[in-house]
Amino acid sequence: GAGVSQSPRYKVAKRGQDVALRCDPISGHVSLFWYQQALGQGPEFLTYFQNEAQLDKSGLPSDRFFAERPEGSVSTLKIQRTQQEDSAVYLCASSFYRTGKNSPLHFGNGTRLTVT
Amino acid sequence: AQRVTQPEKLLSVFKGAPVELKCNYSYSGSPELFWYVQYSRQRLQLLLRHISRESIKGFTADLNKGETSFHLKKPFAQEEDSAMYYCALKWGNYGQNFVFGPGTRLSVLP
């Protein structure tokens, strides 16, 4: 597709439920990122993939958060036993290059998760 | 630790007035800085990056390493510039991580 696609756009979960958020990056983009954006805040880094390898997961807030990108394209962010503090917009971004200067991020529209 | 600060949560200016959105960073390495913008109901998108030394939609930003700043400027604000603006620092072992500031909401009044 033309841009990064995320689904669903909105998700309401009851506390304790598991959720799965999907990201479809721009075709051919090597790098994929997940960010969490709380209300009134800037995006906070969660995890980074280079192709199918998860090279950095230092931003995942707890072991309830898990991300995968098994074939180096589509990625899923899973949150187990959701808590109210997990309510946020989850942004996915991709970039073409692994490293180097001219590799800005291309963002999806995000998934707004509300835990009740 | 790497950090980006944007001291103003909200900045209101009148159409035609100059605007400056402040950004300061802390990073021990060689910084690579970006401005991202989010218009109403749109996704976050790149506005400009310091290495390109470009002007996009009339906006410019100069990296000042001495002051560790990357302020965004435009001499004559337009109503369509109203949006959320995020300053971002790129870093990481793989040169891949981005740290974002909290954002500044720019409101250009008619």
Side-chain angles (χ1 to χ4, degrees):
Chain A
V4 178
S5 177
Q6 290 187 247
S7 62
R9 286 295 305 276
Y10 304 93
K11 177 69 180 178
V12 178
K14 290 189 175 173
R15 192 173 61 172
Q17 279 185 330
D18 297 349
V19 298
L21 313 180
R22 176 188 168 104
C23 173
D24 206 335
I26 294 173
S27 179
H29 276 198
V30 169
S31 297
L32 185 144
F33 305 78
W34 283 100
Y35 284 84
Q36 180 190 59
Q37 187 174 21
L39 192 63
Q41 303 294 320
E44 297 273 349
F45 171 78
L46 293 177
T47 187
Y48 163 66
F49 290 86
Q50 188 181 106
N51 296 310
E52 69 279 1
Q54 188 175 22
L55 298 185
D56 188 346
K57 54 181 181 179
S58 61
L60 296 177
S62 78
D63 58 9
R64 296 186 295 104
F65 286 71
F66 172 77
E68 60 183 5
R69 193 186 185 197
E71 296 178 359
S73 55
V74 171
S75 176
T76 304
L77 176 66
K78 298 179 180 177
I79 309 173
Q80 297 177 322
R81 304 181 304 281
T82 52
Q83 305 293 314
Q84 283 194 313
E85 62 262 27
D86 300 335
S87 296
V89 175
Y90 290 85
L91 296 170
C92 177
S94 68
S95 72
F96 182 71
Y97 297 102
R98 291 173 298 170
T99 60
K101 295 298 184 183
N102 292 310
S103 52
L105 298 178
H106 298 265
F107 282 89
N109 280 316
T111 293
R112 182 179 296 279
L113 173 65
T114 303
V115 181
T116 60
Chain B
Q2 296 68 234
R3 193 171 175 220
V4 175
T5 57
Q6 294 178 250
E8 302 132 335
K9 292 197 77 169
L10 173 65
L11 184 63
S12 295
V13 301
F14 285 103
K15 177 183 173 182
V19 62
E20 180 179 63
L21 287 83
K22 291 184 167 48
C23 170
N24 288 89
Y25 66 91
S26 59
Y27 180 50
S28 57
S30 182
E32 191 176 344
L33 287 146
F34 300 78
W35 276 98
Y36 281 80
V37 61
Q38 188 168 26
Y39 301 103
S40 179
R41 302 184 187 282
Q42 294 188 26
R43 64 187 67 194
L44 202 55
Q45 59 186 285
L46 176 69
L47 179 61
L48 55 79
R49 58 196 119 173
H50 91 268
I51 57 169
S52 300
R53 303 186 66 81
E54 56 202 346
S55 174
I56 303 293
K57 299 184 178 182
F59 284 97
T60 59
D62 290 318
L63 177 61
N64 185 324
K65 292 187 179 180
E67 296 183 357
T68 60
S69 68
F70 187 57
H71 303 327
L72 183 67
K73 300 177 184 179
K74 185 170 182 176
F76 309 103
Q78 303 299 313
E79 289 181 70
E80 56 265 29
D81 296 329
S82 296
M84 279 294 297
Y85 290 81
Y86 296 94
C87 183
L89 167 70
K90 187 179 180 186
W91 73 284
N93 293 332
Y94 305 94
Q96 86 291 350
N97 205 343
F98 286 76
V99 173
F100 286 83
T104 297
R105 179 172 297 282
L106 174 64
S107 178
V108 181
L109 308 171

